[in-house]
Amino acid sequence: LLGFAILSIEVVAVRRVAARVGSSLEAWTAVLAVALLGIAIGAARARDGVPRSTRARRLAGGVGLLTLLGLLDRAVLDRTLDGDGLPATIRVFLAVALVYGPAFAVLGSLGPRIGRAVVGSGSDDGRRLARVSMFSTLGALVGTLATAPVLLPALRSEAVLALSAIVAVGASAIIGRGPLRRFAIGAAPAIVVFAVGLALPSALRSRPPPNVDPSAVRVVFDEDSPYARVAVVEVEGEPAQRVSRLSIDARVHGVVAPHAALPPRSIFAGLATAIIDRTVERTVERLDAPMLLVLGGGVYAVPRAFLATHPRGRCEVIELDPAVNEAARRHLGLHGDPRLRVVEGDARAELASGGGIAPTFDVIFVDAFGDVSIPWTLTTTEFAGEAKSRLRPGGTLIVNTIDAFVPGRFIAAFHETLRSVFAHVEVVGATRDDAELQNFVFVASDAVPSLSGLTRATTAGPVPIVRYPASEWEQLGRRVGARALTDDFAPVESLLGDVVSRTMGR
């Protein structure tokens, strides 16, 4: 029970912290450090002088109450992470220590008590302690292997945290050999949270979009998948003007009007669609029936716009998270279109195996990158080579990234990566502000990209896109010492360290 509780809380804590921080490296480092430190402190402070039943009662109440503190992690993490004057790693550590440190200390104090319970004066005490260690490890394995793929999708993160607390309270009650009433009192707060987490998860987690009247907002989808927390918040109004917002973890991924003929084109969607259309126009012999592969579904704005513009075109989408697809089908206007095929799976694996997608495409568009969430497997020369092998002659790989040109360490490395695989690489954007986070869209092909005079559609009319001269990329590469990324060398989170520190607690 104790091993399960500790590891299950660790997994959920990393999920929730990473969503606020944006870096799994920072999240894992902080949570593991706090867990080990808290368990050590709890074990060191265990005392023999208090009666066993009294200790168990205190522990039971402490574990239950600390669960409630853990569920308030959003407010504590946001306030701590927003602090200035300290390095990002220190801020993350302090935030995790405030939220989860007490819980790990309480759990750590149970270990010595279990050891004392099995040690007598017999010659097999060592074997008994070994059995305790073995069962603790088995429970930890269950907590590790079951939490993300099974418990989170079934119960959601709030309920899993509460379940872990209930299990820990049960462990303390068993050690103290206390009555059932003692267990019920200690577990009561966690049981309440467990019930609310199952029935009304949005009451514990979701919040309305900024600058929107809360009374006009309705949470219509809120699920934990094995990969992320996926939520859809609907801003109510007339059906034609009703807008839905998709969030993946703590980041807003996109906004659509499900009842409109076309989704409203964001700055990014307008830019991506303009580039794809221009690229398709270059392939004259397949102008009437272009083939597009999109890696990353999200709100499906780009596939829908592409199919509306090219009635005879076909689009295939590889989306990793089944919860994202379910949200899109139920609440984001993704209806059955015979020209659109959705494959659930890992983009890199599906691209390499090819069993579930068409053999070749005119355009491959990568829309799986966020500002701080970039799967490194889609950034390497090996991936670029696999994508190139799936392109028809003259085909184009288009990748949307987010970074700031200053310092620009990630985009400089990614530029070098694509240049090592494709003959021509051009980078464009919607606007330009070198000190701010921007969309950088990489257009890579063995044919010369034809992007001159390209505009993107806006409500005010067509607006020219921003093109970055090749000379600036040469200068940027020299300034940051850029080198191509490979499957053996892809320190993406390190390269995005500045971006992560900017967006912490957002």
Side-chain angles (χ1 to χ4, degrees), residues 26-205:
E26 297 281 3
W28 272 111
T29 300
V31 170
L32 287 177
V34 169
L36 292 172
L37 185 60
I39 291 170
I41 292 174
R45 291 185 58 81
R47 293 289 185 269
D48 288 325
V50 182
R52 179 183 291 174
S53 60
T54 303
R55 291 198 302 262
R57 183 170 63 251
R58 291 176 180 175
L59 289 170
V63 172
L65 292 174
L66 287 170
T67 307
L68 299 181
L69 295 178
L71 292 171
L72 298 176
D73 61 356
R74 181 168 207 158
V76 178
L77 287 172
D78 286 356
R79 291 191 178 187
T80 308
L81 295 174
D82 283 341
D84 296 324
L86 292 174
T89 301
I90 301 299
R91 279 185 283 156
V92 178
F93 175 81
L94 291 176
V96 174
L98 287 172
V99 176
Y100 295 101
F104 284 120
V106 170
L107 294 174
S109 67
L110 294 178
R113 293 178 171 84
I114 295 175
R116 294 192 192 99
V118 302
V119 171
S121 58
S123 59
D124 63 343
D125 286 349
R127 181 174 296 178
R128 291 182 179 182
L129 287 173
R131 289 197 189 106
V132 169
S133 176
M134 178 190 73
F135 281 107
S136 178
T137 301
L138 289 176
L141 285 173
V142 173
T144 302
L145 299 177
T147 299
V150 178
L151 295 179
L152 282 172
L155 305 178
R156 305 183 182 94
S157 58
E158 295 82 9
V160 174
L161 274 178
L163 174 65
S164 299
I166 294 170
V167 169
V169 171
S172 65
I174 292 171
I175 297 168
R177 297 189 179 95
L180 182 62
R181 178 176 59 85
R182 196 171 294 156
F183 167 79
I185 293 174
I191 292 173
V192 171
V193 173
F194 181 77
V196 175
L198 283 179
L200 299 169
S202 59
L204 298 173
R205 181 70 182 273

Side-chain angles (χ1 to χ4, degrees), residues 268-286:
F268 159 68
L271 175 64
T273 301
I275 297 171
I276 292 173
D277 290 345
R278 173 65 65 86
T279 303
V280 168
E281 290 173 6
R282 197 184 61 212
T283 314
V284 179
E285 66 273 17
R286 287 186 292 274

